[in-house]
Amino acid sequence: MAAMDVIVEKLVTVWRRPAVRRVFPLLFLLISSVGSILKELELVPPSYFSSSKNFFNLYFVKVSWGWTLLLLTPFLLISSSVHRGASLLGQRLLSLAVATAVWYICTETFLYIEDATGACFQSKTSLLATNEFASKATCRRAGFNWRGQDISGHSFILTYSSLLIMEETSPMAILRTASLPALARTVLNLLYVALNLLVMTWVWMFVCTSVYFHQPIDKLLGTICGLLGWYLTYRYWYLKPFSPGLPPHCQLKEQKQHA
C-alpha cells in the first residue's frame, strides 16, 4: 500500500497549509459569484452537467448528506480510537449530530420560505397565478409550476459538507504517523482518500450548480448559509467549553495560537 501512503501524504500536506484552509471557504463565494455572472450572460454552453438528471446529481448530490455521513462516520470511529477513545468518539459523533441538525433546519427552512413566498402557475411562461394550490407539493402534483424564493439547497449542502469534511479529517495530519494495526491503517487511508474525492466531487458539482442552475440571489443565500453553519460551529461555538469541541489536530493549533 505504498502508493496509498504517498497519496495520503500529499493530501495531508495540502490541507495542512494555513493558506489553503483560509481560502477554501472563500472559494465557494468566489465560484458562486463568478458562476452566476457567467450564467446570466449565457457564456457557458449546455453540457451533460446542465441537466438535473445527470448521474452525479441524481446519485450523489441529491443524497449528499448521506454520502458525507457514510464515509465520515467510520473515519471518526477509527481515528477516535487512536486518541482518547470513547470520550473523543462521543465528542466527534456529537459534532456530526449538530451538523445533521444544521442540515435539517436549513433545508426545512428553505422549503418553508419557498412555500411561503411562492404561487402556483399553470406553466413556466404563465403570468396568472392560480389560488387552487397553496403549496409547492400540491401544485407540482397537479402538473403546474411553482414560483417562490428558491434558496439553493445544493449551494448550501455542497458548501457545508465540504467544510465539515475539511474540519473533521484534519487529525489525519497526526494520525498518519500514529501506531495503528495494519488493517486499521489501510481502512483509515482508504476512507481519507475517499473523503477527499468526495470533496472534489462536491466542489465540481458546486461549480455546475453555479453556472447552470438557480437565480444569483438564491445561490448566494444558500452558499452564505453553508458558510455560516460552518463558521458558527467550528470557528465560534466549538471553541467554547460547553460544546463538542474541535478535532484533536485543530485543538492543538488553537492552543498554539493562544499560547
Side-chain angles (χ1 to χ4, degrees):
M1 298 295 288
M4 180 64 69
D5 291 335
V6 171
I7 294 172
V8 168
E9 180 67 29
K10 289 185 179 297
L11 289 171
V12 167
T13 300
V14 170
W15 287 114
R16 285 187 66 184
R17 294 172 183 167
V20 172
R21 298 180 68 84
R22 283 197 304 268
V23 169
F24 189 56
L26 301 176
L27 179 66
F28 292 97
L29 280 176
L30 178 63
I31 293 173
S32 184
S33 301
V34 174
S36 293
I37 293 173
L38 294 176
K39 178 181 180 295
E40 294 304 302
L41 295 177
E42 299 182 346
L43 295 178
V44 182
S47 71
Y48 173 74
F49 292 97
S50 61
S51 169
S52 60
K53 295 183 179 180
N54 74 74
F55 176 84
F56 291 95
N57 189 57
L58 288 177
Y59 298 105
F60 282 88
V61 179
K62 292 288 186 183
V63 287
S64 54
W65 193 245
W67 277 109
T68 299
L69 293 182
L70 180 67
L71 294 175
L72 196 53
T73 302
F75 178 87
L76 295 180
L77 288 171
I78 298 174
S79 61
S80 298
S81 66
V82 179
H83 296 284
R84 297 195 303 271
S87 174
L88 178 61
L89 176 59
Q91 289 178 315
R92 301 310 349 126
L93 292 181
L94 182 56
S95 73
L96 286 190
V98 170
T100 300
V102 170
W103 161 75
Y104 181 80
I105 291 170
C106 287
T107 52
E108 288 298 310
T109 301
F110 296 166
L111 293 174
Y112 174 79
I113 291 173
E114 188 176 9
D115 264 357
T117 61
C120 189
F121 295 81
Q122 291 188 354
S123 69
K124 290 184 178 181
T125 57
S126 177
L127 299 178
L128 185 62
T130 174
N131 296 323
E132 186 177 352
F133 305 103
S135 71
K136 178 181 178 180
T138 56
C139 175
R140 287 196 167 180
R141 274 199 299 268
F144 294 159
N145 182 255
W146 185 267
R147 300 178 205 164
Q149 186 71 53
D150 184 18
I151 299 175
S152 176
H154 280 29
S155 294
F156 161 73
I157 194 59
L158 296 174
T159 299
Y160 188 55
S161 293
S162 297
L163 295 175
L164 176 70
I165 293 171
M166 177 189 75
E167 297 290 353
E168 292 296 337
T169 58
S170 62
M172 199 64 180
I174 48 181
L175 287 171
R176 76 187 196 285
T177 58
S179 178
L180 283 172
L183 179 59
R185 166 70 63 195
T186 300
V187 174
L188 193 67
N189 284 348
L190 288 171
L191 286 169
Y192 183 69
V193 172
L195 283 162
N196 274 273
L197 289 173
L198 198 62
V199 169
M200 294 176 195
T201 303
W202 293 164
V203 172
W204 171 247
M205 294 309 294
F206 185 87
V207 171
C208 294
T209 296
S210 299
V211 300
Y212 288 128
F213 303 102
H214 290 284
Q215 296 300 313
I217 186 62
D218 297 328
K219 288 177 284 193
L220 183 61
L221 287 173
T223 303
I224 290 174
C225 286
L227 290 170
L228 281 176
W230 160 75
Y231 186 85
L232 292 176
T233 49
Y234 287 91
R235 292 295 181 267
Y236 181 74
W237 182 33
Y238 289 2
L239 301 179
K240 308 296 182 183
F242 298 102
S243 74
L246 294 170
H249 182 57
C250 294
Q251 288 178 359
L252 292 174
K253 290 199 300 182
E254 289 296 327
Q255 290 170 1
K256 290 178 181 178
Q257 288 174 2
H258 290 92

